Amino acid sequence: MSVSTATASGIPSSRFVLLKELDKRGFLFFTNYESRKARELDESPYAALAFYWREVHKQVRVVGKVEKVSKETSEEYFKTRPVGSRLGAWSSPQSSVVREGEVKERLEKNKARFGIEDEHAAASDIEIPLPEFWGGYRVVPQEVEFWLGKPSRLHDRIRYTRVAGSPDDAPQWTIERIAP
Ligand SMILES: Cc1cc2nc3c(=O)[nH]c(=O)nc-3n(C[C@H](O)[C@H](O)[C@H](O)COP(=O)(O)O)c2cc1C
C-alpha cells in the first residue's frame, strides 16, 4: 500500500510498504522508527493509505491517526521474519545518508555479533533480538473510501466516515456516495 505522511509544516511524502495485518483497530505496517516516515509521524501522527488493484479496477483510500503497535506485537512479527530480513533491519539506518558499502559492512558486523554464518539460512530458531528502533505502526481509520471503476468514468465511490464510537468499541460510520 502507499503510505503518505507529512511534516509539521505540511510537506508530504509517500512510499509503498507492506500491509502486514489488519486488526480490529486498523492497518498495520512495520518499519524503522528513525526513518523519514517515522520522523514525520512524530511531528504529525496522521497518514493516508492508498491501495490499487488493477485487475479488478478497484481502489481503497484510508485516512487515519497513527499509533505505534505494542512492543510485543513488533517482537512477535520480527521473530517470524527471515534471518536476512532481521539482520537487514539491524544493519540499515533507514533514510540516512550512507557511504557505498556501508550497509554491507554493518551487515557483516551484525552477522558476527549474532554469530550467523549464512544470512540466507532458513533457521527460524536463530535468536536475533528486536532492534529498539524497529517496529510497527497502526493507522486507525477515520475515513475509508471504496472506489470501483465503471465505464465512461462513472465510477462508484462510497465513503465511510467515522462519526462516533471508539475504534475498539462499535464504531459508527456515516456512509455516503460521492461523485466520481
Ligand atoms: C513493494 C514495496 C514494499 C515495501 N515494504 C516496506 C515495508 O514493509 N517497510 C518498510 O519500512 N519499507 C518498505 N519498503 C521500502 C519503502 O518504500 C521505503 O523505501 C522505506 O520504508 C524508506 O522510506 P522513508 O525514507 O520515506 O521512511 C517497500 C518498498 C516497496 C516498493
Side-chain angles (χ1 to χ4, degrees):
M1 63 191 179
S2 158
V3 179
S4 300
T5 52
T7 62
S9 53
I11 298 171
S13 69
S14 301
R15 78 288 292 154
F16 287 94
V17 302
L18 176 68
L19 168 69
K20 186 57 206 161
E21 196 185 327
L22 182 63
D23 70 10
K24 211 176 153 206
R25 282 178 68 77
F27 300 78
L28 271 64
F29 67 93
F30 289 81
T31 193
N32 185 303
Y33 283 153
E34 292 168 2
S35 62
R36 175 175 179 171
K37 68 183 93 51
R39 287 197 307 269
E40 292 182 359
L41 288 170
D42 287 343
E43 288 180 25
S44 174
Y46 291 88
L49 311 177
F51 302 83
Y52 173 54
W53 291 273
R54 187 174 172 210
E55 294 74 11
V56 290
H57 211 25
K58 285 182 179 176
Q59 172 178 243
V60 172
R61 295 166 64 183
V62 176
V63 180
K65 190 154 189 192
V66 181
E67 58 190 25
K68 281 185 178 167
V69 303
S70 69
K71 195 169 174 203
E72 293 69 44
T73 302
S74 296
E75 248 157 11
E76 215 172 284
Y77 170 50
F78 193 72
K79 265 194 258 167
T80 69
R81 302 184 86 215
V83 174
S85 306
R86 280 181 279 159
L87 282 173
W90 270 102
S91 307
S92 171
Q94 195 176 57
S95 320
S96 304
V97 175
V98 285
R99 258 186 308 106
E100 188 177 355
E102 185 177 333
V103 174
K104 185 89 180 87
E105 283 165 25
R106 286 167 174 262
L107 179 73
E108 292 307 320
K109 277 192 194 141
N110 283 317
K111 275 165 73 177
R113 173 177 176 188
F114 297 117
I116 291 155
E117 275 159 30
D118 176 11
E119 77 252 36
H120 304 296
S124 55
D125 51 346
I126 293 178
E127 276 291 321
I128 302 175
L130 173 74
E132 82 289 348
F133 55 81
W134 196 94
Y137 285 106
R138 179 186 293 104
V139 181
V140 181
Q142 296 175 339
E143 192 186 308
V144 180
E145 181 195 317
F146 296 92
W147 181 100
L148 173 59
K150 287 284 175 79
S152 309
R153 306 188 66 82
L154 296 177
H155 316 302
D156 275 336
R157 298 180 66 189
I158 305 295
R159 182 176 61 199
Y160 285 62
T161 309
R162 202 168 69 223
V163 285
S166 82
D168 300 304
D169 183 25
Q172 288 164 36
W173 303 84
T174 295
I175 306 173
E176 296 162 308
R177 175 176 292 276
I178 49 183

